[in-house]
Amino acid sequence: VFQTPLPTSTAKTDYAQIMRDVANYRGIPIADARAYVQSLPDWWQYAPDGVHATAGGYSAVTRNALAPVLVPLVAAARCKTGA
């Protein structure tokens, strides 16, 4: 699973888009944390220094960007192994 980086004030390239393109090309699931965070109307409050997310920011990303991708994969893997 790929996870795009959070938006930052220091990004010089669109690394997140490159990750999306590679994941799509390779058929790799992607948790698009960047798109989720940027969809929030006041997303800068979650990264007040322009680089690092706050605890609340990481929690929101986990619930809304990572879990929707990871939970089904883990559930499918558990079903295959009988765990």
Side-chain angles (χ1 to χ4, degrees):
V1 174
F2 283 3
Q3 176 189 334
T4 57
L6 298 177
T8 68
S9 60
T10 60
K12 302 297 183 214
T13 63
D14 196 354
Y15 184 70
Q17 187 57 52
I18 294 166
M19 289 185 73
R20 290 181 198 108
D21 293 345
V22 171
N24 184 51
Y25 178 77
R26 296 283 186 189
I28 298 169
I30 188 160
D32 202 339
R34 183 183 202 86
Y36 165 71
V37 170
Q38 288 181 320
S39 75
L40 302 172
D42 52 353
W43 67 270
W44 279 105
Q45 76 170 338
Y46 293 107
D49 68 357
V51 177
H52 304 96
T54 62
Y58 282 123
S59 180
V61 166
T62 299
R63 282 191 317 274
N64 298 294
L66 296 177
V69 174
L70 293 176
V71 168
L73 293 172
V74 171
R78 289 186 68 187
C79 288
K80 288 180 184 176
T81 64

